[in-house]
Amino acid sequence: MRVTMRRVLLVLGSVVALMVTLHLGQQVLECQQVLSERRHRLMRPENEELVMMGSNHVEYRYSKEMPLIFIGGVPRSGTTLMRAMLDAHPEVRCGEETRIIPRVLAMRQAWSKSGREKMRLDEAGVTDQVLDAAMQAFILEVIAKHGEPARYLCNKDPFTLKSSVYLSRLFPNSKFLLMVRDGRASVHSMITRKVTIAGFDLNSYRDCLTKWNKAIEVMYSQCLEIGRSRCLPVYYEQLVLHPEQSMHAIMKFLDISWSDTVLHHEELIGKPGGVSLSKIERSTDQVIKPVNMEALSKWIGHIPGDVLQDMAHIAPMLARLGYDPYANPPNYGHPDPLVVNNTHRVLKGDYKTPANLKGHLQVTQNTSSSH
């Protein structure tokens, strides 16, 4: 009898223990599922939206799917003018250069090129997917939050377009404006205005033209690779000579409604919802003026003879982009009447320095030639 009771108790105990084990196991599985879902949400920032409230109490939502606009090109190619004209549109905000975005993109590119570094990152679980998600979140955060919210956001950091192909994958609906300018004019401007650019020897036209050629070749090739539906080369000379025709083509490419304000950016500088200019960017003292021809051909007569003689060899991208490497002066075309009038105004000093920039531009104007 005692043996039978003992067996019954053992069986009952085993059943109870089994039931408790099953219950605890189910609870653990449910907890793991909840934690997994929560972790999954936390680790996928690329699916999240940034929500910002504008001064007009309108809510703006930004994500990797939005139609971001990236403006770039070799420095001194009209990138600031381009972004200022877009900034004048009531539904677009570009803002000043962030400076940090091209640097982060260069770091990302360096990690990918280094086989050893990539192996170490993969081994640590920092895969391309993880890095790309982090890059998406970081770039979007910087672009969205370094200025006022708007329906369309754009970024202007000249060397960003060295990473056009990569950015086109991160932001599948983004579009790119590649500013193209006669390299002789760009180089003359960076040398005379003493615009420091990593790797460019400002004491040598030959070196700067060689570096210009390499930089524009990379950007132009990437622009062609992502296709004309995503990347539009914008020639600085044509933008200056024919601003209305050029801007109509650009707005159509960007699929943004037309506004006459893009032709008069100088009237909106420093105004709410208008054009915000940096007090320290070297192009600011030029962009406060209406679109004009003042800087088109200032390089003529300043480039050394031996460099001019070797121009086609030093900068073969000139011919590829449609410029005559031996034309001195070149024929860029005939200006619109509006541009002729603007140029006469600028030469007479008939333009205003915005109140928020007064006292800041004088230093720039005194320490560098206006080219």
Side-chain angles (χ1 to χ4, degrees):
M1 185 70 179
R2 286 182 181 177
V3 174
T4 304
M5 284 295 295
R6 186 177 296 172
R7 287 179 178 174
V8 170
L9 289 173
L10 284 172
V11 170
L12 287 173
S14 298
V15 171
V16 170
L18 180 61
M19 292 177 65
V20 170
T21 301
L22 289 172
H23 179 71
L24 289 174
Q26 184 178 0
Q27 292 293 317
V28 169
L29 288 173
E30 289 177 356
C31 285
Q32 286 180 336
Q33 185 177 359
V34 170
L35 289 172
S36 177
E37 290 175 354
R38 187 174 299 171
R39 191 180 298 115
H40 183 71
R41 287 196 300 269
L42 290 173
M43 292 300 291
R44 292 188 63 82
E46 71 270 24
N47 286 343
E48 295 179 1
E49 289 185 328
L50 283 176
V51 181
M52 295 183 66
M53 188 69 68
S55 56
N56 53 0
H57 303 293
V58 174
E59 186 179 84
Y60 296 89
R61 293 180 175 271
Y62 304 127
S63 73
K64 70 168 187 174
E65 304 296 335
M66 67 178 295
L68 281 172
I69 304 164
F70 290 97
I71 302 171
V74 180
R76 311 307 303 164
S77 294
T79 55
T80 304
L81 175 63
M82 180 74 261
R83 82 88 171 165
M85 295 176 78
L86 278 182
D87 252 332
H89 193 287
E91 293 187 316
V92 180
R93 192 268 289 159
C94 299
E96 297 85 341
E97 293 180 14
T98 70
R99 297 181 60 81
I100 195 170
I101 289 178
R103 297 179 187 186
V104 171
L105 287 168
M107 288 173 60
R108 174 70 178 93
Q109 188 177 38
W111 295 332
S112 298
K113 285 184 176 179
S114 171
R116 179 176 293 182
E117 187 65 23
K118 188 177 189 311
M119 182 178 67
R120 288 173 175 172
L121 290 171
D122 287 341
E123 184 66 22
V126 187
T127 62
D128 285 344
Q129 185 178 4
V130 172
L131 285 172
D132 290 349
M135 292 291 289
Q136 280 174 338
F138 179 81
I139 291 172
L140 184 61
E141 187 96 5
V142 171
I143 293 175
K145 293 188 176 180
H146 87 110
E148 289 296 316
R151 182 178 178 184
Y152 300 99
L153 296 181
C154 83
N155 163 254
K156 191 278 283 191
D157 282 298
F159 283 127
T160 293
L161 263 67
K162 280 188 171 183
S163 303
S164 299
V165 172
Y166 179 64
L167 285 168
S168 70
R169 293 200 301 265
L170 289 187
F171 302 101
N173 295 312
S174 58
K175 290 193 175 181
F176 302 81
L177 297 176
L178 172 61
M179 295 304 299
V180 176
R181 186 183 184 184
D182 189 326
R184 295 163 292 191
S186 294
V187 164
H188 178 68
S189 180
M190 63 180 71
I191 288 176
T192 55
R193 293 177 68 85
K194 299 178 175 59
V195 179
T196 304
I197 304 169
F200 284 67
D201 179 3
L202 297 183
N203 294 312
S204 169
Y205 274 91
R206 184 179 292 269
D207 178 79
C208 286
L209 280 161
T210 301
K211 301 292 174 51
W212 170 87
N213 190 82
K214 183 177 180 180
I216 193 63
E217 183 177 19
V218 170
M219 296 187 209
Y220 189 67
S221 296
Q222 292 209 20
C223 186
L224 294 180
E225 184 175 342
I226 62 179
R228 290 299 175 94
S229 65
R230 299 280 305 276
C231 183
L232 179 68
V234 177
Y235 282 74
Y236 170 77
E237 294 84 7
Q238 300 312 308
L239 178 64
V240 167
L241 293 171
H242 313 292
E244 184 168 1
Q245 179 183 340
S246 297
M247 288 306 294
H248 268 290
I250 290 166
M251 303 311 286
K252 183 178 180 181
F253 168 75
L254 297 175
D255 197 23
I256 299 176
S257 61
W258 175 256
S259 172
D260 285 334
T261 56
V262 299
L263 301 177
H264 307 284
H265 70 278
E266 74 282 358
E267 298 175 3
L268 296 168
I269 294 173
K271 295 184 179 178
V275 182
S276 175
L277 292 178
S278 168
K279 297 180 179 68
I280 59 175
E281 284 184 28
R282 287 301 184 94
S283 299
T284 295
D285 64 322
Q286 293 175 302
V287 178
I288 62 172
K289 306 170 186 176
V291 178
N292 67 88
M293 301 180 291
E294 187 184 22
L296 273 187
S297 302
K298 282 196 170 182
W299 61 270
I300 297 169
H302 293 278
I303 300 178
D306 63 308
V307 176
L308 289 174
Q309 187 175 351
D310 296 341
M311 190 62 69
H313 174 70
I314 296 170
M317 282 299 295
L318 282 172
R320 186 179 175 190
L321 293 169
Y323 298 101
D324 183 347
Y326 296 116
N328 298 290
N331 180 15
Y332 296 129
H334 301 288
D336 293 342
L338 172 67
V339 178
V340 174
N341 183 58
N342 286 347
T343 304
H344 287 322
R345 285 177 51 203
V346 168
L347 293 176
K348 291 190 300 183
D350 183 17
Y351 61 91
K352 295 181 180 179
T353 299
N356 64 316
L357 296 175
K358 286 181 178 177
H360 296 277
L361 300 183
Q362 195 64 36
V363 174
T364 303
Q365 291 169 346
N366 284 344
T367 58
S368 61
S369 303
S370 182
H371 292 278

